[in-house]
Structure formats: structure tokens, C-alpha cells
């Protein structure tokens, strides 16, 4: 049950919020825990076995945390991380091995959240959570359970330790962020994504070069607006409950280098890899060669986290190469010239997402051949296809590009809480419901990770 | 809950609650009417119904027509879709039909289609984009159905945005090919066939000299069919049988295009499609090749 479904918006959320707000503050964590569990159960109704890894791993990490002595219980840490990543690896790659097992919902996120907790308890940064209610609420917290953001365990601990007492302003602000995120997903991402779907339906070998570029730009915008929209919805839901979830995107398409891009895109995941992989490996403190090795480890793991097919590994390796080149000197060129950095990023962002979007390596080759038709002329290419789809999607692409820049958010923040903002949000809400009414199955793109 | 002194932060929530209540009431009423006079809509959320009608009011118009129609005798029960036929023994192969038409050879001489019109849905859009025949006109639009054939507007290389009636009044065609039925396969069959019959009659009146070809619906992949009962093989078979009954064998003919892109089980083969419904652009030519063969053999 995604946030952008009618059952969630009109049944689960109102009932949950009513139960939450009608409950005395000291019991609200119970409501939150039970509500989050219910949310997950509904989501895996057709695959109830998905509960087993979630609850099993959560119970294991809880017990290990209780037994752990900071900096001393290395064995327990290794045991916990082995269980977490072993499960994740098994389910990610079981499909490739033909075992017929599908990926449990949200396993990539909750396994990382649990690992962060365990590591921080080992480091002594976070006290082991003794109260099972608070621990499981932190794990199951439905605004972030399915696709993040990954939360700092210390922040989670501090926020859940006291009674939850959101004020009306929290509720209102959260509701506004929720509607904004819903609009990004339903009104923009889904519509723009139609162009990428069309390109796939036509077949990559039959699209013209302009349409191939339009298609990959559409995918880039769809991915950003879909995931950013989800993240805003998660933030909004958390705020309605009196919780502060971290922001996950900071206008990544305004970045001037890939290093900058990945400080702005899926910030919670990048932070996780920085804090629990890159820095423990030595970061940039162990010399140049070791720094590059550490970066390679981070980006290979990032690629593998996103998917088990070869294209994700290639995607991670491409990002490593680009970031390594930037560190080696190319980054200084980008800093000095805004024009060069813009051209570089306008090319590299869609190219990197192309590896991300197309699972088959041979099809990646076909698509590259359409982007740069030096050797390949395609098959049954309709030379005027880009005009037809340009008329249909051009304004959406332009709107998506504009909304990816920082300017609109600054403008929005000025009217967000005014009567104009209220009217706009009410209109956006019903526009979303209109689109959602006709959509059959519309999962968030990051639900597949 | 503590007394809330400042209601301003709750204005947006209040607006949404009030409008949601209104939408739910409206949706329940509309859904009730649709279920009463048309049937179906059991799986639709009440709050979605007003928006579905905003998007496409075909069913609402049908409901109003049914509501205002004089009482009719009890209708005959809807015939069940025909069960999968027993596999027949391999018949003796017919001798190769003689070549009747010589100017319908794909890729060589397609002049037969120079005064042809193709009408259809997104699958026909696919053909128009990737495998055009001769100088034919293509009046095709995504989502077109027999219910919207004369209300939809479309454009093509040789005409701007227009409706079908205006197009047929401005040009003369010798052959009109119609491929519809997939988008409307979930409708009650009786209503579907009646509307199609009416459309064909209108085509005949506007183009009395044209031969009209009804093209049967070819299937979707097994995965798509599994998720949508209206696209099941048995359902499409029933639709195609009804389409065949609309032909008179003379001015209105029916062509067996349901074999295109499909395996022996009637499902579209996955290698032909990316979404389970539409053939890839590079395979659109298979439709055009097949059609040329049918015409050449005098079908």
C-alpha cells in the first residue's frame, strides 16, 4: 500500500491519524508501532512470509544490542551484520540463481537501518534501546519503512524517547509537505514517465536520436520527481506525527559535479555509505591509492545495493570513474567554469541513469547506438517521432526541468503557508486524486530496491 | 486532546475533509446509478467514480440512456464466453488460394492502399508510425473504442485534427480497415456489438462505395491477461466471434488478424512486445505484411 493510493489517503491515514491524536500522548508510541506494523502487513498481504525476515532480523538486532558492550562485543557485531547482509544478499541474488524467491518489501532499507543501529551501539554512539516498544517503533516507523529516508539512529532514539506531542502547526506543515510530495509523484513523475515507457514500448532500436535523448531525460526527471516526491511525503507524514525526518534531496540536478550530485541525491543513503563504509575503511586519510580503493568499494556496494543485475554494477563503476577523475583534477576545472560543469552534468546525469534504467547490457548498447548514431542507424526508425512526442511531453519535460532547480522551492516557501498556498494545495490534492482514480498499479520506483 | 486555540493551521485539513466527504457522497450516488443500470463497477472505489466519469463519460451517458429508456422486456441472459474449443484434428491443407490482387505486395507495390483508410486504437497508431502502407490515411488514437469512433479527433500526415465524420465527408476511400475492440473488451458484449454495428452502418452511409474490413483483436501476453480478465483469451475470442458475425462477406468483411504476434495458445509472444500489449516498432511491419497477403489472396 503506497502513499499514493486511494486506500492509504482515504482510509489508512485518516483512521491512523484519528487514533493517534485521540490517544493520550504517553500511549501514542503504541499506536504508532501498531499502525506501522499494520501498514506493512497490508503491503505484504499477498506475500505474508515477508514479515518473517523483517521481524526476525529486528528481534535479532534488538537482542544483540542488549547484549552488546561498546567496543568490546565485536563478535556480536559481526554476527548481526552477517545476518543482516547475508539475508539481503540472499534475497537480492536468489532470483539470479533461479530460486524463485522475490525480494521482501523494504528489505534494502530496514536492513541498512538495523545495521546502522547495531554499529552505532557498538561504537558507543547510541545507547542500546532497552524498551522493545521504542526499538520496534523505530524499525517499523511507516513514514520511512518502505523507501527511507534512512535515519540517524541517535536522532531516532532521541525523538522516540519522549511522548509524541505534535502541535497543530506540525500537522499543518506535514500535511502541506505530504500534498506537495504527492503532487510531484502523481502529477509530474508519473506523467513524465509516460515518455520513457513509450520509448520502451517502441523498442530502443526504433527510436530516433532526438527521441532517445528525450526519453533518457524523461527517465532522469521521473526518477528524481518520483523519489523526491516520496521523500517529501515521508517527511510530511513524520511531521504530522511530531517527528523530524531528514531531507533526502537538495536539488541534485543543480549540482556542478558528480561529487556534488551525490551530496544532494538520496542524502541518507550517501551518508550511510560514508559513515559506515567509507570512513571505517579509512576514508581519505590513508593516502591516495587507498582513498581510491575506498571509493571503489563504496560505489560497487552502492551499485549492488540498488540491484543484482550487471547494469547496476556498471552504473556504480561509472560513478566511481567520474568521481575519481574529479578528485584527480577534473573537479577543479568544473569549479572554475560554470559552463563546462553544466555541459558535463547535462551529459553525465542522463548517461549514468541510462545504465540504471536498462537492465540488459545488450540493450544498453542498443540505446547508446541511438543516442550517438555513429555506427547504428536503428531499425524501422520513424524520423519524426520526436516531434509527435515533443508535442505531447515537451511542456512536461520543461516543467520538470524548471522544478528541478532551486528557484521554485524558494518561491513556494514564500507562499506555502498563505491562503494562496492553501488553495493551491487543495487544488493539487484533488488533481492527484483525479489521476490516482484512473491509475491501476502505480508503485514508487524505489519500492523495487 | 487539548483544546486547540488556533484553528488556522487546520484550515487546509478542514477543506480536505469537507471536500472528501462531498466527493464520497457524490461517488456513492454515481456508483449506485452505474451499478443499477449498467452493472459492473464493483471493484471501483466510490470516491474514484466521479473522476472516472470526468475522464471518460461514456458509461455515464450509457447509464442515462438506459435510465431514460422505456421499460424493456427481460433481456436474454448474457451469453457466456465460448469455452476453449477442443483441438480439431489437422485438416487437409487447402490448396494455395489464387492471387486475386496484384498491387498489394508489401515493400514493392502497395498502391492498393493509396485510397485506403485505417481506423484504430493505439495498436493502429503503432502501425501508422512504423509500417504505413502506400499512401493510406490513418485515423488512429490511443484509447479509441467503438463507443468513441465518431467523437474522437485525430490527425495524420495528410489531414489535420478532425473527427471521423468530417474526414469521411471530405474524402473518398475504396477500402476502410477497422481494428478496435481491445480497449472495450470489458464492456457487456451485447452493447459492444450493437455499437459497432451502428458504427459500421454509419461508415457505409458515409462511404457507400468502400469495402469495410473488420480486423479481429489479437491477444495480449499471458501476464497481462492474468492481471486483467477482460483481456483473457476466452474473452477476446468471444469479442472476435461477435465481430465476425457483423460481417456480411461482401461489403463488410472480417479478417482473422487475431493470429498476429500470438502463439498457439492465443497469447501474444513476449519477444514481440515491451508492455505485453503493443508490438515493438520494428515488428509493426508484420501486420502490414500479413494484411498485404490477405488482400493479395482475395480475403
Amino acid at each position: 500500500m503506497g502513499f499514493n493510493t486511494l486506500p492509504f489517503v482515504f482510509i489508512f491515514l485518516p483512521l491512523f491519524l484519528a487514533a493517534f491524536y485521540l490517544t493520550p500522548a504517553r500511549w501514542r508510541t503504541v499506536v504508532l508501532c501498531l499502525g506501522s506494523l499494520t501498514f506493512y502487513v497490508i503491503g505484504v498481504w499477498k506475500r505474508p512470509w515477508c514479515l518473517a525476515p523483517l521481524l526476525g532480523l529486528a528481534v535479532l538486532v534488538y537482542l544483540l544490542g542488549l547484549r552488546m558492550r561498546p567496543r568490546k562485543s565485536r563478535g556480536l557485531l559481526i554476527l548481526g551484520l552477517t545476518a543482516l547482509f547475508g539475508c539481503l544478499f540472499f534475497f537480492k541474488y536468489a532470483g539470479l540463481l533461479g530460486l524463485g524467491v522475490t525480494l521482501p518489501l523494504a528489505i534494502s532499507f530496514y536492513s541498512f537501518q538495523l545495521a546502522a543501529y547495531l554499529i552505532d551501539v557498538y561504537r558507543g554512539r547510541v545507547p542500546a534501546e532497552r524498551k522493545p516498544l521504542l526499538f520496534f517503533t523505530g524499525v517499523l516507523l511507516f513514514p520511512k519503512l518502505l523507501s527511507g529516508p534512512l535515519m540517524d539512529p541517535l536522532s531516532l532514539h532521541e525523538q522516540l524517547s519522549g511522548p509524541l506531542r505534535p502541535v497543530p502547526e506540525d500537522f499543518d506543515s506535514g500535511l502541506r509537505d505530504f500534498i506537495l510530495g504527492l503532487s510531484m509523484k502523481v502529477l509530474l513523475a508519473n506523467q513524465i514517465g509516460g515518455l520513457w515507457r513509450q520509448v520502451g514500448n517502441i523498442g530502443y532500436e526504433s527510436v530516433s536520436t532526438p527521441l532517445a535523448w528525450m526519453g533518457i531525460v524523461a527517465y532522469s526527471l521521473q526518477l528524481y520527481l518520483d523519489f523526491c516526491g516520496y521523500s517529501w511525503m515521508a517527511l510530511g507524514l513524520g511531521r504530522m506525527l511530531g517527528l523530524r525526518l531528514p531531507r533526502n534531496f537538495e536539488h541534485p540536478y543543480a549540482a556542478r559535479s558528480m561529487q556534488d550530485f551525490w551530496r544532494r541525491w538520496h542524502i541518507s543513503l550517501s551518508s550511510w555509505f560514508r559513515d559506515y563504509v567509507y570512513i571505517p575503511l579509512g576514508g581519505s586519510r590513508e593516502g591516495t591509492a587507498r582513498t581510491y580503493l575506498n571509493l571503489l568499494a563504496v560505489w560497487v556496494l552502492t551499485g549492488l545495493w540498488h540491484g543484482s543485475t550487471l547494469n547496476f554494477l556498471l552504473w556504480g563503476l561509472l560513478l566511481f570513474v567520474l568521481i575519481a577523475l574529479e578528485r584527480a583534477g577534473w573537479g577543479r576545472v568544473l569549479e572554475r567554469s560554470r559552463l563546462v560543469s553544466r555541459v558535463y552534468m547535462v551529459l553525465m546525469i542522463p548517461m549514468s541513469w541510462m545504465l540504471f534504467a536498462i537492465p540488459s547490457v545488450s540493450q544498453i548498447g542498443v540505446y547508446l547506438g541511438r543516442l550517438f548514431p555513429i555506427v547504428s542507424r536503428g531499425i524501422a526508425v520513424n524520423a519524426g517521432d520526436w516531434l509527435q512526442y515533443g508535442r505531447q511531453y515537451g511542456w512536461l519535460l520543461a516543467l520538470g526541468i524548471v522544478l528541478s532547480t532551486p528557484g521554485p522551492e524558494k518561491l513556494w516557501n514564500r507562499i506555502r503557508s498563505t491562503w494562496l498556498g492553501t488553495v493551491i494545495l487543495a487544488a493539487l490534492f484533488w488533481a492527484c486524486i483525479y489521476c490516482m482514480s484512473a491509475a491501476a498499479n502505480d508503485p514508487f520506483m524505489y519500492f523495487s530496491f | 486532546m487539548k483544546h486547540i486555540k488556533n484553528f488556522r493551521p487546520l484550515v487546509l485539513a478542514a477543506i480536505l475533509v469537507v471536500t472528501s466527504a462531498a466527493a464520497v457522497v457524490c461517488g456513492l450516488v454515481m456508483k449506485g446509478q452505474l451499478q443499477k443500470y449498467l452493472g459492473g463497477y464493483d471493484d471501483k472505489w466510490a470516491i474514484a467514480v466521479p473522476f472516472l466519469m470526468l475522464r471518460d463519460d461514456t458509461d455515464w451517458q450509457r447509464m442515462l440512456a438506459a435510465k431514460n429508456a422505456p421499460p424493456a422486456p427481460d433481456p436474454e441472459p448474457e451469453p457466456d464466453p465460448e469455452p476453449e474449443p477442443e483441438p480439431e484434428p489437422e485438416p487437409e491443407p487447402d490448396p494455395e488460394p489464387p492471387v486475386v490482387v496484384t498491387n498489394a505486395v508489401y515493400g514493392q507495390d502497395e498502391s492498393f492502399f493509396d485510397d485506403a483508410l485505417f481506423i484504430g486504437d493505439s495498436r493502429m497508431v503503432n502501425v501508422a508510425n512504423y509500417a504505413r502502407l502506400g499512401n493510406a490515411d490513418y485515423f488512429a488514437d490511443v484509447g479509441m473504442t467503438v463507443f468513441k469512433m465518431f467523437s474522437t479527433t485525430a490527425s495524420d500526415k495528410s489531414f489535420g485534427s478532425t473527427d471521423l465524420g468530417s474526414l469521411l465527408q471530405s474524402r473518398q476511400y475504396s477500402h476502410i480497415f477497422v481494428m478496435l475492440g481491445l480497449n472495450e473488451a470489458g464492456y457487456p458484449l451485447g452493447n459492444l456489438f450493437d455499437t459497432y454495428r451502428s458504427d459500421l452502418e454509419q461508415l457505409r452511409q458515409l462511404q457507400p462505395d468502400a469495402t469495410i474490413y473488420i480486423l479481429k483483436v489479437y491477444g495480449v501476453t499471458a501476464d497481462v491477461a492474468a492481471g486483467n480478465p477482460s483481456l483473457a483469451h476466452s474473452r477476446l475470442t468471444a469479442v472476435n466471434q461477435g465481430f465476425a458475425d457483423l460481417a456480411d462477406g461482401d461489403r463488410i468483411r472480417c479478417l482473422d488478424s487475431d493470429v498476429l504476434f500470438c502463439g498457439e495458445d492465443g497469447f501474444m509472444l513476449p519477444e514481440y512486445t515491451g508492455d505485453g500489449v503493443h508490438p515493438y516498432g520494428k515488428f509493426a511491419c508484420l501486420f502490414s505484411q500479413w494484411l498485404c497477403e490477405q488482400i493479395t489472396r482475395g480475403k
Side-chain angles (χ1 to χ4, degrees):
Chain A
M1 179 173 60
F3 299 156
N4 60 313
T5 57
L6 294 178
F8 180 82
V9 172
F10 289 105
I11 297 186
F12 179 85
L13 188 60
L15 287 177
F16 172 80
L17 288 173
F20 183 84
Y21 277 93
L22 289 173
T23 302
R26 67 179 184 278
W27 295 110
R28 283 178 180 164
T29 311
V30 177
V31 174
L32 183 53
C33 188
L34 291 175
S36 298
L37 184 61
T38 304
F39 176 80
Y40 191 81
V41 166
I42 295 172
V44 299
W45 193 251
K46 293 182 182 174
R47 296 188 300 153
W49 60 267
C50 289
L51 275 167
L54 169 60
L55 296 178
L57 289 172
V59 168
L60 175 67
V61 168
Y62 171 71
L63 294 173
L64 288 175
L66 289 179
R67 295 291 305 263
M68 198 169 273
R69 289 180 301 158
R71 295 285 175 196
K72 291 189 167 64
S73 305
R74 198 181 186 89
L76 294 179
L77 176 67
I78 292 173
L79 173 64
L81 294 181
T82 303
L84 287 168
F85 295 128
C87 266
L88 181 60
F89 185 87
F90 169 75
F91 284 112
K92 283 265 192 200
Y93 288 89
L96 281 183
L97 300 172
L99 296 178
V101 176
T102 54
L103 197 65
L105 187 63
I107 191 170
S108 298
F109 286 92
Y110 65 70
S111 59
F112 269 38
Q113 186 72 67
L114 289 168
Y117 166 80
L118 208 57
I119 294 170
D120 277 358
V121 170
Y122 174 79
R123 287 174 176 171
R125 183 173 174 265
V126 168
E129 185 55 70
R130 303 226 156 255
K131 297 178 185 171
L133 175 64
L134 296 188
F135 177 83
F136 285 98
T137 303
V139 174
L140 297 170
L141 194 62
F142 79 88
K144 68 156 185 65
L145 174 62
L146 299 186
S147 289
L150 295 166
M151 285 187 73
D152 173 19
L154 185 60
S155 168
L156 202 53
H157 168 78
E158 288 169 352
Q159 292 195 64
L160 289 176
S161 292
L164 298 168
R165 297 181 198 274
V167 295
E169 286 76 12
D170 287 327
F171 182 87
D172 181 58
S173 181
L175 179 61
R176 288 169 194 264
D177 286 342
F178 179 84
I179 295 173
L180 185 72
L182 184 68
S183 304
M184 288 174 77
K185 159 66 177 170
V186 173
L187 299 181
L188 285 174
N190 286 2
Q191 312 310 318
I192 291 174
L195 177 55
W196 177 246
R197 276 194 302 278
Q198 293 278 18
V199 168
N201 291 345
I202 292 168
Y204 300 147
E205 48 274 284
S206 300
V207 299
S208 67
T209 295
L211 185 58
W213 279 102
M214 285 167 61
I216 202 62
V217 166
Y219 179 82
S220 305
L221 290 171
Q222 180 197 8
L223 186 64
Y224 168 61
L225 293 165
D226 189 288
F227 199 11
C228 188
Y230 164 84
S231 297
W232 275 111
M233 295 174 79
L235 255 71
L237 289 169
R239 189 81 187 264
M240 282 197 263
L241 306 177
L243 297 167
R244 293 286 205 268
L245 271 61
R247 190 164 160 154
N248 228 359
F249 294 87
E250 281 289 353
H251 308 292
Y253 290 154
R256 293 180 56 184
S257 67
M258 267 303 167
Q259 292 181 88
D260 188 21
F261 180 86
W262 282 94
R263 285 185 216 113
R264 297 163 177 255
W265 178 282
H266 203 173
I267 298 169
S268 64
L269 184 71
S270 305
S271 302
W272 193 98
F273 276 105
R274 179 197 63 211
D275 295 339
Y276 300 108
V277 178
Y278 184 67
I279 291 176
L281 285 176
S284 55
R285 301 187 306 270
E286 308 284 337
T288 305
R290 183 59 186 264
T291 299
Y292 285 119
L293 260 171
N294 295 339
L295 281 172
L296 178 62
V298 165
W299 287 106
V300 166
L301 290 174
T302 302
L304 294 178
W305 180 88
H306 280 86
S308 55
T309 43
L310 184 57
N311 63 301
F312 290 108
L313 182 60
L314 292 175
W315 171 74
L317 288 172
L318 172 66
L319 292 174
F320 163 71
V321 167
L322 293 175
I323 288 172
L325 287 172
E326 287 174 13
R327 288 184 74 103
W330 174 237
R332 284 190 286 280
V333 175
L334 297 175
E335 277 171 26
R336 279 199 297 269
S337 170
R338 188 178 282 268
L339 176 64
V340 170
S341 66
R342 287 275 177 251
V343 171
Y344 167 72
M345 292 303 284
V346 162
L347 282 175
M348 285 301 122
I349 291 174
M351 294 296 293
S352 67
W353 287 137
M354 181 193 64
L355 294 180
F356 194 82
I358 302 174
S360 157
V361 175
S362 62
Q363 287 295 298
I364 289 172
V366 170
Y367 205 87
L368 265 175
R370 299 316 302 141
L371 290 175
F372 304 101
I374 301 165
V375 176
S376 164
R377 292 177 58 192
I379 302 173
V381 174
N382 176 3
D385 55 7
W386 65 279
L387 287 168
Q388 174 190 340
Y389 289 107
R391 277 191 292 271
Q392 192 177 351
Y393 290 99
W395 68 277
L396 271 170
L397 293 179
L399 183 61
I401 291 168
V402 167
L403 293 177
S404 301
T405 61
E409 184 177 345
K410 289 177 189 166
L411 178 63
W412 173 245
N413 285 338
R414 288 160 72 173
I415 63 171
R416 179 176 174 275
S417 299
T418 65
W419 279 104
L420 178 61
T422 301
V423 169
I424 290 173
L425 286 168
L428 285 175
F429 176 82
W430 286 109
C432 290
I433 301 304
Y434 172 84
C435 291
M436 284 155 61
S437 297
N441 185 25
D442 173 32
F444 284 101
M445 296 170 80
Y446 258 73
F447 275 13
S448 55
F449 301 119
Chain B
M1 204 159 63
K2 286 187 179 174
H3 176 65
I4 299 171
K5 292 181 185 171
N6 181 9
F7 286 96
R8 195 175 159 185
L10 301 178
V11 167
L12 177 58
I15 291 173
L16 295 182
V17 167
V18 168
T19 49
S20 296
V24 166
V25 169
C26 183
L28 284 169
V29 169
M30 292 178 76
K31 182 177 174 177
Q33 293 286 289
L34 289 164
Q35 286 178 316
K36 181 179 177 183
Y37 291 101
L38 297 184
Y41 282 86
D42 296 328
D43 59 337
K44 301 294 184 207
W45 289 77
I47 198 160
V49 171
F51 299 102
L52 290 171
M53 294 304 108
L54 265 177
R55 184 181 279 262
D56 182 354
D57 68 347
T58 302
D59 278 354
W60 189 252
Q61 297 302 325
R62 289 175 53 226
M63 185 281 293
L64 289 175
K67 188 176 181 180
N68 296 327
D74 287 336
E76 288 180 27
E78 178 106 3
D80 289 330
E82 287 189 15
E84 292 281 342
E86 293 282 335
E88 293 175 0
E90 287 280 328
E92 291 271 338
D94 292 329
E96 190 72 12
V99 171
V100 175
V101 172
T102 57
N103 61 338
V105 182
Y106 183 73
Q108 295 177 33
D109 182 0
E110 300 169 3
S111 56
F112 176 89
F113 298 99
D114 284 349
D115 57 355
L117 172 67
F118 288 85
I119 300 171
D121 52 27
S122 52
R123 287 173 161 180
M124 190 60 79
V125 171
N126 182 268
V127 174
N129 285 337
Y130 296 100
R132 300 180 74 96
L133 281 166
N135 293 317
D137 286 340
Y138 287 80
F139 187 89
D141 194 29
V142 173
M144 193 192 288
T145 66
V146 299
F147 301 101
K148 298 191 285 189
M149 195 194 292
F150 285 91
S151 59
T152 299
T153 57
S155 62
D156 194 35
K157 289 188 175 180
S158 68
F159 59 86
S161 182
T162 185
D163 62 274
L164 184 59
S166 301
L167 179 66
L168 293 173
Q169 284 170 347
S170 64
R171 298 183 181 201
Q172 288 302 311
Y173 296 104
S174 296
H175 315 281
I176 299 176
F177 299 89
V178 186
M179 185 164 71
L180 292 169
L182 190 70
N183 292 314
E184 54 272 60
Y187 281 80
L189 291 181
N191 192 243
L192 169 60
F193 299 143
D194 287 344
T195 306
Y196 206 176
R197 187 178 295 112
S198 169
D199 288 338
L200 293 170
E201 186 53 39
Q202 209 168 339
L203 285 175
R204 281 174 60 156
Q205 285 176 7
L206 289 168
Q207 295 282 316
D209 297 327
T211 303
I212 301 171
Y213 300 82
I214 302 170
L215 298 167
K216 288 183 179 177
V217 184
Y218 56 85
V220 298
T221 58
D223 285 345
V224 170
N228 192 339
S230 65
L231 300 178
H233 177 58
S234 56
R235 181 66 177 184
L236 294 182
T237 301
V239 168
N240 286 330
Q241 182 55 53
F243 286 179
D245 293 340
L246 296 174
D248 60 17
D250 181 25
R251 305 308 297 180
I252 300 179
R253 304 179 186 182
C254 186
L255 299 180
D256 295 328
S257 44
D258 51 338
V259 300
L260 285 168
F261 307 110
C262 295
E264 289 179 2
D265 55 4
F267 293 115
M268 197 173 187
L269 295 169
E271 54 263 35
Y272 285 124
T273 175
D275 65 352
V277 176
H278 303 91
Y280 287 126
K282 64 183 179 183
F283 293 127
C285 58
L286 296 179
F287 167 86
S288 299
Q289 283 174 359
W290 169 87
L291 185 61
C292 285
E293 288 164 10
Q294 304 304 301
I295 298 299
T296 298
R297 302 297 174 190
K299 292 287 173 70

